[in-house]
Amino acid sequence: MAFTCVVGLQWGDEAKGKIVDVLAPKHRYIVRFNGGANAGHTVVFEGKTFKLSILPTGILCPTAIGVVGNGVVIYPPRILEELAQLSQGGVEALDRLKISNAAHVIFPYHFEQERLSETSAGNGEAIGTTGRGIGPCYEDKASRRWAVRMGDLGDERALLARLGPIVERKNKLNRALDPQAKEFDAAVLAREYFEYGQKLKGCITDTQTLLGEAAKKGEGMLFEAAQGSLLDLDHGSYPYVTSSNSSAAGIWSGSGFAARKLDKIYGIVKAYTSRVGGGAMPTELLDGPEGIGERIRKIGREFGTVTGRPRRVGWLDAVTLRHTARLNDADTLCVMLLDVLSGLKELKIAVAYEVDGQRITDFPTDSAVLARCKPVFETLPGWSQDISTARQPADLPKEALSYLARIEELVGRPVGVASVGPDRQQTIWLKSKDGP
Ligand code: IMP
């Protein structure tokens, strides 16, 4: 059994869930290690559509055990809602779910704190967050004093004792920013969250030991990264990033699994680029309502799963991909949504940037520099035919194969998969006939 990682190489929404779905049956454990309900995954399973944001999408596989690791921040009602959604769709997951007792808990005051920090940010300084309390919860985790972990939900008295000073402080801080800010009551929260803890009692455990022991027995594990590597707190387009390590770097800290054991890292890449929220995006297509950007947005249904916001779209950017493929040490690239590009006469790929009179090929760490970067494009011929029925490499037009080959060259990693539609069958394995 293998230890596998599926990680996004762009700004999220690379359709990682589809590759997880394909790979999940070969693994016993499917593990989330970062982020929270800011991730949005629409998964079609046996003809039914599920919208998951906190549970690992691989939990849909009936033989898998889903693990929510210590690096995830959890809004418990959301977990219960997703479990109910699965149950209504005929998937019983409660008995197959393990939640780290060291994962941090999101409370309603985190939502309020996030709203206030985004609305009070100066012009152009808002990060454009998803409003799910993610950043404030990680801030509290790092503070060590003002945080609550899943393992704290089992004793109502102790929880109230912990929440008392936290809630008092949160109310004060939120009111200082906005006198109209919502106030919270520690006793009400302690009761509510104790009840969530009771409902999830059978799931909350020491997942670091669980995974460590399972690894010893050689049981397969699939690590499912949320967001994309360019949103990684340390290695992304800081400060326009999320608050966790959304690259494979987060596995070790966010699950306790010794990541050097990983056998294979799949780097998931959309055939173009998309981004939600603020921050620079050098290849963004801003060509108006009749332009290529709008066309890709419509055909690719580029609207956020969590917030519904239209995603910004642009040409593929090899500068960013080189950076994230190296960061994750991706073994294989999976190029998703290739079918969305059908019908375009020409395709562009950014091969370098020009900034302050210089040509650069490395992704800049300074967001102010990134904002000044102009892409240097290479143009490739497009293809006109519908490729959604292609099942083998030979079914793809030569222009599509050249596009994939050029990505391979520019990024310096093999392209193992091309995806030409949401269905599992619409997956073309380019290097091996039978898949992974
Ligand atoms: P936060 O994670 O809600 O704090 O948002 C920080 C930034 O990450 C914003 O630009 C969000 O739009 C972006 N973001 C967070 N989660 C996702 C995701 O799953 N897909 C794409 N962008 C995301």
Side-chain angles (χ1 to χ4, degrees):
M1 285 267 222
F3 301 129
T4 309
C5 163
V6 171
V7 61
L9 299 190
Q10 293 156 315
W11 276 287
D13 312 310
E14 299 94 348
K16 297 176 285 293
K18 175 175 165 176
I19 297 298
V20 169
D21 177 49
V22 172
L23 298 174
K26 295 182 188 265
H27 300 83
R28 178 85 175 122
Y29 291 87
I30 315 288
V31 188
R32 272 277 308 261
F33 58 86
N34 79 294
N38 47 351
H41 301 121
T42 306
V43 204
V44 181
F45 185 72
E46 293 181 349
K48 292 179 192 130
T49 302
F50 298 95
K51 284 188 186 294
L52 300 181
S53 59
I54 179 96
L55 293 178
T57 53
I59 203 159
L60 286 165
C61 170
T63 54
I65 296 175
V67 177
V68 179
N70 58 280
V72 177
V73 284
I74 299 176
Y75 184 52
R78 181 67 203 163
I79 290 222
L80 292 166
E81 196 184 298
E82 289 185 11
L83 285 168
Q85 192 199 131
L86 289 175
S87 183
Q88 275 158 20
V91 179
E92 293 310 328
L94 185 66
D95 292 345
R96 295 185 290 112
L97 177 65
K98 300 290 168 200
I99 302 170
S100 169
N101 52 10
H104 283 253
V105 182
I106 297 179
F107 287 89
Y109 50 74
H110 289 127
F111 295 89
E112 188 67 347
Q113 199 179 325
E114 180 168 354
R115 181 186 71 78
L116 293 169
S117 76
E118 283 286 275
T119 52
S120 65
N123 209 6
E125 281 171 13
I127 292 167
T129 62
T130 57
R132 296 295 176 107
I134 307 296
C137 185
Y138 279 118
E139 283 174 33
D140 285 347
K141 173 179 177 177
S143 81
R144 295 149 296 161
R145 286 167 191 272
W146 312 108
V148 174
R149 310 206 293 182
M150 288 302 286
D152 299 330
L153 302 187
D155 176 339
E156 189 177 349
R157 289 236 323 251
L159 181 59
L160 178 57
R162 179 142 192 85
L163 274 172
I166 296 177
V167 173
E168 191 188 331
R169 181 184 152 93
K170 292 289 174 185
N171 284 339
K172 264 195 208 147
L173 288 174
N174 287 347
R175 284 276 160 125
L177 280 172
D178 175 3
Q180 307 300 320
K182 273 190 214 150
E183 277 219 35
F184 298 93
D185 181 323
V188 172
L189 289 178
R191 179 97 277 261
E192 186 185 331
Y193 275 68
F194 169 71
E195 277 166 15
Y196 296 142
Q198 291 304 295
K199 291 187 180 145
L200 294 169
K201 200 155 85 180
C203 307
I204 302 171
T205 186
D206 169 2
T207 52
Q208 194 265 338
T209 301
L210 175 80
L211 293 177
E213 290 304 311
K216 249 199 246 168
K217 290 187 219 145
E219 297 201 84
M221 288 173 203
L222 175 59
F223 293 85
E224 189 180 315
Q227 292 85 48
S229 301
L230 293 171
L231 290 173
D232 186 285
L233 178 62
D234 288 277
H235 304 287
S237 49
Y238 191 88
Y240 299 96
V241 291
T242 192
S243 308
S244 67
N245 287 118
S246 49
S247 66
I251 294 177
W252 211 312
S253 58
S255 73
F257 173 78
R260 69 176 177 158
K261 289 193 174 74
L262 286 173
D263 299 295
K264 186 130 183 167
I265 299 179
Y266 288 88
I268 317 302
V269 178
K270 212 175 253 189
Y272 45 94
T273 308
S274 73
R275 177 164 204 182
V276 226
M281 177 179 162
T283 63
E284 183 167 12
L285 277 157
L286 294 166
D287 50 358
E290 302 301 318
I292 295 174
E294 194 52 38
R295 177 194 163 113
I296 293 178
R297 186 175 300 114
K298 274 202 191 116
I299 300 176
R301 290 186 290 277
E302 294 295 351
F303 296 89
T305 319
V306 173
T307 58
R309 291 180 287 182
R311 294 184 188 134
R312 300 155 67 190
V313 299
W315 295 115
L316 194 73
D317 184 342
V319 181
T320 57
L321 293 182
R322 274 195 295 271
H323 166 68
T324 52
R326 182 183 57 204
L327 167 67
N328 290 288
D329 198 15
D331 297 296
T332 298
L333 306 181
C334 304
V335 177
M336 315 302 286
L337 292 116
L338 189 64
D339 53 304
V340 172
L341 298 182
S342 293
L344 293 174
K345 249 198 198 123
E346 290 183 330
L347 304 174
K348 292 183 194 237
I349 304 181
V351 295
Y353 296 151
E354 261 171 21
V355 61
D356 305 333
Q358 282 198 322
R359 185 180 166 117
I360 59 167
T361 50
D362 288 323
F363 185 70
T365 44
D366 183 335
S367 68
V369 175
L370 184 67
R372 293 200 301 278
C373 285
K374 300 274 169 269
V376 178
F377 284 121
E378 188 175 290
T379 304
L380 285 89
W383 56 91
S384 53
Q385 54 271 63
D386 171 21
I387 57 169
S388 61
T389 53
R391 296 292 175 269
Q392 343 241 358
D395 299 338
L396 289 173
K398 67 175 189 323
E399 294 83 358
L401 289 169
S402 310
Y403 187 64
L404 296 173
R406 191 64 187 131
I407 296 172
E408 210 166 82
E409 272 168 19
L410 288 167
V411 183
R413 313 263 163 170
V415 175
V417 173
S419 172
V420 293
D423 210 273
R424 207 185 270 195
Q425 275 77 44
Q426 293 169 300
T427 312
I428 304 172
W429 295 91
L430 296 152
K431 307 289 178 201
S432 68
K433 239 173 61 210
D434 308 321

